[in-house]
């Protein structure tokens, strides 16, 4: 339930202060601590360093990079500042780790990584660091896409750039969306890029109608017994749902993760309820399972309502 800061209870404010105090304050500048971290990772990769760290490569670290990003999101949702800061540090370590490996191979250094993002942020915010003006965030995003397009063309025209021939072929506004992304994030980014130049729905009602259309086509494919068509139509339905999430300013990946967590909580609660009654959950009938699901759902919603009242 939404409530203003003025209406927050004193206990809620004390809870916020406890979160704020839970992070141990660093003595020293960000630059000093960053240099220490880089030095630590360099030592771990040295001949007399850590055997595990020395064995790692860009390829072997891919899983950790993804895992740490999701753990940051989980920590963000927890409201625990100390945990949030810790997980952000773990994610930062992955950047330092990859940069150290790249430096050892003569590819680039952590300084190159920082310079690249620094210059990019300045270059893509001319309304802040230059003379361009932007009236609102929508105009900022349009300018951002235009600048990115100009950057790609500039690289393509640079004869000294070995990727020039590849970039010359990449003329779509959708360039830059990685195919390695999870499917929901890929769909989210594709539709977001298209929307920035005006290719978008006028309202959510249109997307709901599209989802109804895709549902009908899926039913038709099932009736026709066409497995490949069924897969295609399910993909279209999921894509429409992702587009709806994007239109409603909801990250579909995070929303789906929360839905999965909710299902897991309620399913485990069902199992516990069955055990408490001396029954094996797997041996229950479908009707009994549904009854336990309703009970678990009702209990969870009651706790949520109680928590909402406490926050008022």
């Amino acid at each position: 339930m939404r409530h203003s800061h003025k209406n927050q209870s004193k206990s809620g404010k004390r809870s916020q202060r406890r979160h704020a105090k839970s992070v141990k304050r660093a003595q020293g500048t960000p630059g000093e601590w960053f240099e220490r971290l880089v030095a630590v990772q360099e030592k771990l990769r040295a001949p007399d360093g850590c055997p595990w760290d020395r064995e790692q490569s860009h390829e072997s670290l891919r899983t950790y990079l993804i895992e740490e990003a999701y753990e940051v999101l989980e920590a963000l949702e927890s409201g625990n500042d100390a945990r949030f800061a810790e997980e952000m540090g773990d994610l930062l370590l992955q950047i330092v780790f990859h940069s150290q490996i790249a430096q050892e191979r003569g590819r680039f250094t952590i300084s190159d990584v920082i310079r690249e993002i620094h210059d990019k942020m300045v270059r893509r915010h001319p309304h802040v660091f230059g003379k361009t003006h932007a009236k609102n965030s929508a105009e900022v995003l349009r300018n951002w896409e235009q600048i990115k397009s100009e950057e790609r063309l500039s690289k393509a025209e640079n004869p000294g750039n070995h990727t020039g021939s590849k970039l010359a072929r990449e003329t779509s506004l959708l360039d830059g969306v990685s195919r390695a992304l999870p499917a929901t994030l890929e769909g989210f980014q594709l539709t977001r890029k298209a929307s920035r130049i005006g290719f978008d729905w006028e309202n959510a009602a249109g997307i709901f109608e599209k989802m109804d259309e895709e549902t009908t086509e899926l039913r038709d494919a099932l009736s026709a017994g066409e497995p490949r068509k069924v897969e295609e139509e399910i993909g279209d339905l999921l894509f429409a749902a992702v587009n709806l999430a994007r239109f409603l300013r909801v990250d579909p990946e995070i929303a789906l993760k929360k839905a999965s967590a909710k299902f897991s909580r309620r399913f485990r609660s069902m199992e516990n309820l069955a055990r408490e009654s001396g029954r094996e959950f797997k041996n229950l009938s479908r009707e009994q399972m549904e009854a336990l699901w309703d009970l678990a759902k009702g209990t969870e919603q009651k706790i949520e309502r109680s928590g909402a009242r406490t926050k008022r």
Side-chain angles (χ1 to χ4, degrees):
M1 174 175 288
R2 292 184 177 181
H3 51 279
S4 67
H5 290 297
K6 291 182 179 179
N7 293 330
Q8 286 180 329
S9 65
K10 292 182 179 179
S11 62
K13 293 180 179 179
R14 284 196 296 270
S15 176
Q16 288 182 341
R17 286 196 293 269
R18 283 198 297 272
H19 281 314
K21 293 179 180 178
S22 63
V23 180
K24 183 179 180 181
R25 301 302 177 187
Q27 299 297 318
T29 68
E32 291 171 343
W33 279 106
F34 189 79
E35 289 183 359
R36 291 178 187 177
L37 176 61
V38 171
V40 165
Q41 192 56 53
E42 184 178 8
K43 174 63 176 176
L44 292 173
R45 291 278 298 179
D48 60 341
C50 172
W52 185 88
D53 283 77
R54 285 177 48 76
E55 291 174 358
Q56 302 313 304
S57 65
H58 291 305
E59 292 70 28
S60 69
L61 291 172
R62 287 180 298 182
T63 300
Y64 299 107
L65 184 60
I66 296 171
E67 287 179 355
E68 296 299 352
Y70 278 112
E71 288 179 7
V72 166
L73 293 177
E74 186 176 351
L76 185 155
E77 294 290 338
S78 73
N80 185 319
D81 290 347
R83 183 183 172 196
F84 189 19
E86 178 185 357
E87 296 299 345
M88 290 279 280
D90 289 347
L91 182 58
L92 176 60
L93 175 62
Q94 293 301 309
I95 305 301
V96 173
F97 207 151
H98 278 281
S99 299
Q100 177 60 35
I101 295 174
Q103 179 176 325
E104 294 165 4
R105 298 178 180 179
R107 299 175 63 185
F108 57 81
T109 69
I110 187 64
S111 295
D112 296 325
V113 173
I114 298 172
R115 176 184 54 78
E116 285 287 345
I117 189 58
H118 168 274
D119 292 352
K120 179 186 293 185
M121 294 305 289
V122 172
R123 189 169 61 248
R124 293 187 181 178
H125 290 83
H127 53 288
V128 177
F129 301 103
K131 298 180 179 180
T132 303
H133 297 285
K135 295 180 294 184
N136 49 46
S137 59
E139 192 168 322
V140 169
L141 294 176
R142 284 196 294 271
N143 292 341
W144 180 281
E145 292 300 328
Q146 179 61 34
I147 294 170
K148 286 178 66 176
S149 178
E150 293 172 356
E151 289 173 355
R152 283 194 294 270
L153 288 174
S154 177
K155 290 178 181 178
E157 294 168 356
N158 181 2
N161 188 340
H162 70 279
T163 61
S165 59
K166 175 177 180 289
L167 286 166
R169 295 192 299 270
E170 295 181 350
T171 58
S172 172
L173 287 169
L174 302 181
D175 290 341
V177 177
S178 173
R179 294 298 304 276
L181 288 171
T184 52
L185 287 182
E186 182 182 10
F188 179 79
Q189 291 200 11
L190 287 171
T191 56
R192 182 174 62 180
K193 278 181 172 289
S195 71
R196 287 178 178 176
I197 52 93
F199 187 72
D200 203 0
W201 299 87
E202 292 185 3
N203 51 55
I207 311 181
F208 280 115
E209 291 177 5
K210 182 63 175 176
M211 292 178 68
D212 290 339
E213 175 188 322
E214 298 299 351
T215 300
T216 299
E217 292 179 0
L218 175 58
R219 291 180 185 276
D220 292 342
L222 280 170
S223 298
E226 301 177 5
R228 291 186 179 180
K229 189 65 175 175
V230 169
E231 180 184 62
E232 178 184 345
E233 296 303 339
I234 285 180
D236 290 346
L237 180 58
L238 290 172
F239 189 85
V242 168
N243 203 9
L244 176 63
R246 188 270 314 164
F247 192 90
L248 298 177
R249 301 180 183 276
V250 173
D251 187 310
E253 187 73 13
I254 294 176
L256 185 56
K257 290 286 287 185
K258 288 184 176 180
S260 296
K262 183 196 299 182
F263 176 83
S264 179
R265 284 196 311 271
R266 291 178 180 176
F267 192 90
R268 294 172 189 274
S269 179
M270 291 163 60
E271 292 176 314
N272 290 333
L273 289 169
R275 278 193 290 267
E276 289 172 0
S277 64
R279 297 175 292 176
E280 276 288 333
F281 182 74
K282 63 181 181 180
N283 296 330
L284 300 180
S285 66
R286 173 64 180 275
E287 291 73 18
Q288 290 172 319
M289 289 182 178
E290 290 289 351
L292 286 180
W293 175 269
D294 290 338
L295 180 58
K297 179 179 178 180
T299 301
E300 185 175 277
Q301 291 176 339
K302 184 177 179 180
I303 293 174
E304 290 175 352
R305 287 193 295 270
S306 176
R309 287 195 294 270
T310 301
K311 291 179 180 179
R312 291 176 185 173

